[in-house]
Amino acid sequence: MTARIGVVTFPGSLDDRDTQRAIRVAGAEPVALWHKDKDLKQVDAVVLCGGFSYGDYLRAGAIARFSPVMDTVIDQAKAGLPVLGICNGFQILTEAHLLPGGMLGNDHLHFICRDQKLRVENADTAWTTDYEAGQEIRIPLKNMDGRYVADQRTLDELEAEGRVAFRYLGFNPNGSLNDIAGITNAAGNVVGLMPHPEHAVESLIGTGRTDGLPFFTSILKKLVNA
């Protein structure tokens, strides 16, 4: 049976179609999920895609966190459902307290769009097993509110427990503490990151590389072998 991966669309989502395509390229079946619908349609995993949900009013992701679909996502994530949050999706995951910390405006106060070099710090999550720890990759980054912040105790816990999943290399594009580009929960089923792996799954588009594809092949292999 083909693995089914849901992609949630909120008002203001921009990358839902790109994410669905990335899932299809990896060999899984993308399933469109609407933010007002609590039914996840029996998917095996969920992606919260990038964009500007609800115009990023209040804080990025703050309103989307209260969409009906998130009640189900939160409950099932706590029960082990794999969830990936990309950019705005990462912001939503912090607002929903599925991941610690929060996201603030870039320290230079400008929107940034560039190919970004990252180092894979944790290759043991549901979404990163097709990478190797220490591997350097390059995928697109585009955000206005991408500065990851947390109190010192949370940062210390993330570092000590190996829960920093990705770190910016060469250039910190938004002022994120500890150069953090992405993190995971303790169980490894929930991952959030600011860069956009869905834009780097085919060599003819994006960076001209496929460095983002392992996100989607990793979860596919986990689901198939579960």
Side-chain angles (χ1 to χ4, degrees), residues 23-160:
I23 291 167
R24 193 175 294 111
V25 169
E29 177 188 351
V31 178
L33 301 175
W34 183 236
H35 74 111
K36 285 189 175 182
D37 190 354
K38 287 190 174 185
D39 182 8
L40 297 186
K41 301 180 181 179
Q42 297 182 314
V43 297
D44 303 299
V46 167
V47 180
L48 305 180
C49 66
F52 300 91
S53 59
Y54 292 92
D56 280 351
Y57 289 111
L58 299 182
R59 290 183 309 275
I63 300 176
R65 175 261 177 272
F66 292 102
S67 288
V69 71
M70 288 305 299
D71 291 338
T72 311
V73 170
I74 291 169
D75 288 344
Q76 294 201 19
K78 291 178 178 178
L81 179 75
V83 178
L84 174 65
I86 302 171
C87 196
N88 191 228
F90 184 13
Q91 295 159 345
I92 295 169
L93 289 176
T94 62
E95 291 289 339
H97 303 297
L98 287 175
L99 291 175
M103 311 299 299
L104 297 178
N106 297 341
D107 60 352
H108 46 73
L109 303 181
H110 294 286
F111 181 85
I112 189 168
C113 182
R114 56 171 279 140
D115 291 342
Q116 179 65 46
K117 192 173 184 181
L118 307 172
R119 182 171 63 238
V120 180
E121 302 284 21
N122 186 330
D124 294 323
T125 79
W127 299 91
T128 59
T129 54
D130 268 0
Y131 292 110
E132 294 181 2
Q135 182 178 348
E136 296 182 4
I137 63 175
R138 189 181 298 272
I139 60 178
L141 172 79
K142 49 177 186 174
N143 64 70
M144 181 67 189
D145 299 287
R147 177 161 52 113
Y148 180 77
V149 296
D151 60 39
Q152 191 60 52
R153 178 178 178 180
T154 298
L155 289 173
D156 291 344
E157 288 179 353
L158 290 173
E159 297 287 0

Side-chain angles (χ1 to χ4, degrees), residues 191-205:
V191 171
L193 79 161
M194 287 309 298
H196 287 259
E198 77 279 12
H199 295 325
V201 298
E202 297 175 288
S203 59
L204 291 179
I205 59 174

Side-chain angles (χ1 to χ4, degrees), residues 1-8 16-17 19-33 40-47 127 216-217 219-221 223-224:
M1 181 179 294
T2 302
R4 291 161 44 85
I5 301 178
V7 179
V8 180
D16 42 354
R17 296 295 182 89
T19 304
Q20 290 174 27
R21 179 174 178 81
I23 291 167
R24 193 175 294 111
V25 169
E29 177 188 351
V31 178
L33 301 175
L40 297 186
K41 301 180 181 179
Q42 297 182 314
V43 297
D44 303 299
V46 167
V47 180
W127 299 91
F216 306 100
T217 57
I219 190 59
L220 179 58
K221 290 179 181 178
L223 295 173
V224 169

